[in-house]
Amino acid sequence: MTRLFLIRHAEPVTAWGADDPDPGLSPLGRVQARAVGEALIGLGVSHIASSPMKRCLETAAPLVAATGLTLTREPRVSEVAAPVGVIDRRAWLRENFVWSDGAARRDWAHVDPSLREWRARVIEALHDMPGGAAIFSHFIAINAALSAALKREETIVHRPAHASIIEIEREGDALRLVRLGAEMNSDDVR
């Protein structure tokens, strides 16, 4: 069995849907990034991969500095992209990836085929990772992986907090949840 760590990026300086499509970390996010780096030391991390987006790269930076490991940019674990022509990304995300408490969830079978293809690429990336990989990613991408690990069809199966660590195992073609990370307390997905 191969152990993998999925880490949601720390708090960004601006919420998604704002003017900056690729924000870095807020002051609190920098504190969270240092804490997650410290938490990962001693867990057997031997490889670091990250979405190419700033908030993930900046979250991974303290672990890279502490371990001396090289970071690999992995676009397959990046944020889900809205289709061309979508003007209100926030509304599009809320429609396809319902995360609010008490709201009816969407299933992968009922989203656009391009989103199912994107999910398959996220899962493929996890199958390509070496054991001990710490993978810095995003709320929706982590849910794409977790829904496969939990064998559930909902697009949202967990609401990971900023800088939370989720452990999964890979055995053959199967992913299995080992431990969920902290869950967010608000409805603000940045």
Side-chain angles (χ1 to χ4, degrees), residues 166-186:
I166 296 161
E167 293 180 53
I168 61 172
E169 285 181 340
R170 182 183 69 223
E171 185 171 12
D173 291 338
L175 298 174
R176 184 181 70 80
L177 176 66
V178 174
R179 182 180 65 88
L180 283 175
E183 192 165 28
M184 67 182 197
N185 294 323
S186 74

Side-chain angles (χ1 to χ4, degrees), residues 1-6 44 46-47 49 74 76-77 120-135 145-146 148-151 166-179:
M1 282 187 251
T2 301
R3 182 71 49 102
L4 302 170
F5 304 95
L6 299 174
S46 58
H47 180 79
E74 177 50 74
R76 294 177 295 176
V77 300
R121 288 190 298 274
V122 171
I123 295 166
E124 175 188 64
L126 299 185
H127 284 288
D128 290 346
M129 292 288 168
I135 305 154
L146 276 179
L150 294 169
K151 296 175 180 47
I166 296 161
E167 293 180 53
I168 61 172
E169 285 181 340
R170 182 183 69 223
E171 185 171 12
D173 291 338
L175 298 174
R176 184 181 70 80
L177 176 66
V178 174
R179 182 180 65 88

Side-chain angles (χ1 to χ4, degrees), residues 5 44-49 63 69-72 129-136:
F5 304 95
V45 172
S46 58
H47 180 79
I48 302 172
L63 181 62
L69 294 170
T70 301
L71 181 138
T72 302
M129 292 288 168
I135 305 154
F136 293 81

Side-chain angles (χ1 to χ4, degrees), residues 3-152:
R3 182 71 49 102
L4 302 170
F5 304 95
L6 299 174
I7 302 98
R8 182 175 177 211
H9 61 77
E11 182 185 82
V13 70
T14 60
W16 49 265
D19 291 337
D20 185 353
D22 190 15
L25 297 181
S26 70
L28 174 59
R30 289 190 290 278
V31 170
Q32 292 170 334
R34 285 191 297 276
V36 81
E38 290 171 8
L40 287 163
I41 293 188
L43 294 181
V45 172
S46 58
H47 180 79
I48 302 172
S50 175
S51 157
M53 300 190 89
K54 267 193 264 185
R55 56 196 178 272
C56 288
L57 294 169
E58 290 179 11
T59 304
L63 181 62
V64 170
T67 62
L69 294 170
T70 301
L71 181 138
T72 302
R73 291 178 189 226
E74 177 50 74
R76 294 177 295 176
V77 300
S78 194
E79 186 62 86
V80 63
V84 175
V86 168
I87 296 169
D88 188 345
R89 176 174 165 75
R90 182 173 230 139
W92 176 82
L93 283 168
R94 285 190 185 276
E95 177 185 336
N96 288 285
F97 305 100
V98 181
W99 59 81
S100 298
D101 285 333
R105 301 283 190 237
R106 295 271 318 256
D107 287 348
W108 286 105
H110 296 103
V111 297
D112 189 85
S114 66
L115 293 176
R116 291 193 298 274
E117 291 169 12
W118 169 82
R119 178 187 184 222
R121 288 190 298 274
V122 171
I123 295 166
E124 175 188 64
L126 299 185
H127 284 288
D128 290 346
M129 292 288 168
I135 305 154
F136 293 81
S137 189
H138 304 269
F139 184 92
I140 306 293
I142 289 170
N143 270 279
L146 276 179
S147 64
L150 294 169
K151 296 175 180 47
R152 291 179 49 191

